[in-house]
Every structure is written in C-alpha cells, then in structure tokens.
C-alpha cells in the first residue's frame, strides 16, 4: 500500500508533470518517425532487396557510390531543379501581386479571398486529378480553348517541355495562396502613418514600395521561398498522377525516381541511399538560406 502511495505521489510531483505530459508524444514520435528513419539510414549501408529473402550484406558506401555514378539520378535532379525554379518563381510573383491586391479593401474581398485560398486546402491527389482532366485533349478546358483557334486538339502533356509546364502550373496553382498569406501578413502590419507621410511628401509609388512596403515583407518572402523550395523539391504526388514521370523521363523528379527504385525495381538499399541524398540536399539548401539571412542581418547592423 505504501509503495502504491509513493508511486502516485511520484507521478503527481509538479516537477515531473511536464515530462509526463509530453512522454506520449515523444513515444509516438520515436515509433513513427525516428526509428524508421534510423532503420532506413542503416539500410542504406547494406545490400538488400525487399523482394528477396537473402539476408542484408554490409557494404559500407557501395549504394551511395552506385547511385551517384548513375546518369539517371543527375537527370532527375536537373528535372527537379527546373520544376522548383519555375514553380517557386511563379508562386513568388503571383503570390506577391495577389497580396498587394488583397491588402486593399474592396467589395466582395472576403469571398474572393476564400475562393483563392481554396486550392491550398485541397489534397495533392485532388489537384493532380483536376489538372489531368483540365489538360485532357478531348474534353479538357485547355484543349477546348485552343481548339477554337486551331481547330485541332491540343495535348499539352505530349511533349517534354509541355509536361514540365503542366506540372509547374499545377503546383504553383495550389501553393500560390500560401505565399500570398505570408506576404499579406507583412503588408497589413505596415503602419499606415508611413504611407500617409509618403503621400504628403509626394513620394513616387516605386520609392514608397522599395523603402516602406518591401522591407516589411522581405523576411516573410524569403521564408516563403525556403518553405516552398523544400516542399517542391520533394514533389511526388502531382507528378506521379499527372504525367507518371513522362513523356519518357521528362518529368521524373528525384522523389519519383526514389519511389520507382524502391517499389517497382525493389532496389531497397539504393532507394534508401537516394532518399538520404535528397535529405542532404534539402539540409544544404536550408543552411545556405540561413547563412544568407545571417549575412544580410549583419550587413544591416
């Protein structure tokens, strides 16, 4: 009885209340994320195929060397870089312009804002299927529009360049509202008296933008670039459903290549090595971003 009371007293100790409250979350994190992450990292140093009963064979950095020597992964990285540059660039431009528009009050502003935010709330699969139907050559809206001028069906996804453009537009359409929200948060925080003072001094709109508006949204815009670059670099669902990496391998991103290597070719260890190469690239991009931000802040000081 005394042991039970002492255990209950130990649990009810205010000093242990915090750790006990977060213990279930830490356990779930370990079970769902950390353990599989460490297991896959260890697997990248072994020769192993999921479709064979042969025991894993330790091979040091053999999988990494084999993966990096293949031209296919460099082509996939190049394709991914093109999609990232095109999609993120388009998101930044359109998101910034939309934020400037919705920073001002006008009729039906709230309703239009809700409609524009809708794509961000949809799943990747829904967006991919929507654009697959939109690009469909027989009854798709894009083909029907072009057909009014040319009299022929238009197949955007039939060419490598068209397929890349189709993927970029689909991803940008879904995530431009996210950029808009971040920039809009910066725009509404700009003190109104600064604009009033600029108007009294008859400052040009360009100087007002560069000295008042842009400094308030610059950090949020850079944050949007970081988030969207990381997420777009891992793009898989939209590409897989919309083009399946085609035509040929024109839109085969690094994430699609990892999936095919793991679940179509069953080269489990190779796919694990590819996954960690992808993780390393994301970490490098994040570090470069933080370095640039730190340098900019030090120069301003």
């Amino acid at each position: 009885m005394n042991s039970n009371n002492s255990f209950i007293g130990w649990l009810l100790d205010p000093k242990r209340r915090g750790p006990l409250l977060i213990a279930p979350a830490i356990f779930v994190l370990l079970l769902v994320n950390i353990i599989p992450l460490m297991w896959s990292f260890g697997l990248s140093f072994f020769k192993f195929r999921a479709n064979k009963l042969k025991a894993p064979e330790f091979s040091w950095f053999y999988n990494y060397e084999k993966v990096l020597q293949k031209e296919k992964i460099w082509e996939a990285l190049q394709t991914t870089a093109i999609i990232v540059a095109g999609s993120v660039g388009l998101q930044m431009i359109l998101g910034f312009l939309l934020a400037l528009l919705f920073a001002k009050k006008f009729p039906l502003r709230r309703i239009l804002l809700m409609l524009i935010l809708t794509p961000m709330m949809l799943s990747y699969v829904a967006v991919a299927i929507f654009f697959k139907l939109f690009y469909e050559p027989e009854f798709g809206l894009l083909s029907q529009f072009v057909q009014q001028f040319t009299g022929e069906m238009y197949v955007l996804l039939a060419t490598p360049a068209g397929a890349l453009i189709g993927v970029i537009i689909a991803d940008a359409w879904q995530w431009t509202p996210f950029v808009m929200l971040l920039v809009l948060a910066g725009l509404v925080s700009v003190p109104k008296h600064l604009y009033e003072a600029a108007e009294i001094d008859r400052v040009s709109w360009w100087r007002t933008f560069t000295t008042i508006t842009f400094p308030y949204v610059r950090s949020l815009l850079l944050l949007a670039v970081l988030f969207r670059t990381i997420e777009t670099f891992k793009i898989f669902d939209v590409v897989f459903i919309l083009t399946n990496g085609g035509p040929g391998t024109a839109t085969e991103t690094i994430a699609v290549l990892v999936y095919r290597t793991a679940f179509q070719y069953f080269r489990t260890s190779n796919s694990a090595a590819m996954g960690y190469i992808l993780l390393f690239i994301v970490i490098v991009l994040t570090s470069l971003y933080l370095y640039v931000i730190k340098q900019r802040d030090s120069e301003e000081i």
Side-chain angles (χ1 to χ4, degrees), residues 141-154:
L141 292 178
L142 179 63
S143 180
Q144 292 293 325
F145 176 77
V146 175
Q147 199 169 359
Q148 299 297 322
F149 301 95
T150 62
E152 298 178 355
M153 291 189 303
Y154 180 65

Side-chain angles (χ1 to χ4, degrees), residues 227-238:
F227 287 160
R228 291 308 311 143
T229 299
I230 292 174
E231 287 299 316
T232 310
F233 202 87
K234 300 183 294 180
I235 188 171
F236 170 78
D237 310 69
V238 174

Side-chain angles (χ1 to χ4, degrees), residues 76-283:
L77 286 171
Q78 183 179 358
T79 301
T80 305
I82 293 172
I83 293 175
V84 168
S87 179
V88 174
L90 194 59
Q91 290 172 45
M92 294 302 114
I93 295 171
L94 295 179
F96 193 86
L97 293 176
L98 286 172
L100 290 175
L101 175 64
F102 282 98
K104 300 176 181 179
K105 294 182 179 181
F106 55 87
L108 303 177
R109 176 177 176 269
R110 292 185 178 180
I111 297 175
L112 290 174
L113 187 60
M114 290 174 60
L115 291 175
I116 289 178
L117 292 176
T118 302
M120 188 176 63
M121 304 174 191
L122 299 176
S123 68
Y124 291 103
V125 175
V127 172
I129 292 175
F130 169 77
F131 274 93
K132 195 175 184 67
L133 296 174
F134 182 75
Y135 297 145
E136 216 283 328
E138 292 187 8
F139 56 83
L141 292 178
L142 179 63
S143 180
Q144 292 293 325
F145 176 77
V146 175
Q147 199 169 359
Q148 299 297 322
F149 301 95
T150 62
E152 298 178 355
M153 291 189 303
Y154 180 65
V155 188
L156 177 67
L157 305 179
T159 62
L164 282 172
I165 292 172
V167 170
I168 289 170
I169 291 174
D171 186 64
W173 179 81
Q174 183 178 13
W175 291 110
T176 293
F178 173 77
V179 178
M180 182 198 71
L181 277 180
L182 285 179
V183 177
L184 190 59
L187 289 176
V188 297
S189 66
V190 180
K192 293 183 179 179
H193 69 268
L194 295 178
Y195 289 121
E196 293 173 355
E199 188 176 352
I200 292 172
D201 293 337
R202 295 182 179 180
V203 178
S204 65
W205 69 269
W206 177 249
R207 188 165 180 81
T208 302
F209 173 78
T210 55
T211 58
I212 300 176
T213 304
F214 189 72
Y216 273 87
V217 301
R218 180 171 52 188
S219 59
L220 291 172
L221 199 61
L222 290 173
L223 190 64
V225 171
L226 174 65
F227 287 160
R228 291 308 311 143
T229 299
I230 292 174
E231 287 299 316
T232 310
F233 202 87
K234 300 183 294 180
I235 188 171
F236 170 78
D237 310 69
V238 174
V239 175
F240 190 76
I241 295 173
L242 194 59
T243 64
N244 196 24
T249 58
T251 57
E252 188 177 62
T253 62
I254 185 66
V256 174
L257 182 60
V258 170
Y259 168 81
R260 286 180 172 169
T261 304
F263 299 106
Q264 291 183 1
Y265 310 140
F266 292 101
R267 296 169 184 166
T268 312
S269 298
N270 286 356
S271 65
M274 286 184 190
Y276 279 93
I277 290 172
L278 176 61
L279 177 63
F280 175 76
I281 293 172
V282 170
I283 291 173

Side-chain angles (χ1 to χ4, degrees), residues 4-20:
N4 290 336
N5 290 334
S6 61
F7 178 71
I8 293 173
W10 182 83
L11 288 176
L12 295 177
D13 189 350
K15 294 181 179 179
R16 298 183 178 89
R17 191 174 300 167
L20 287 173

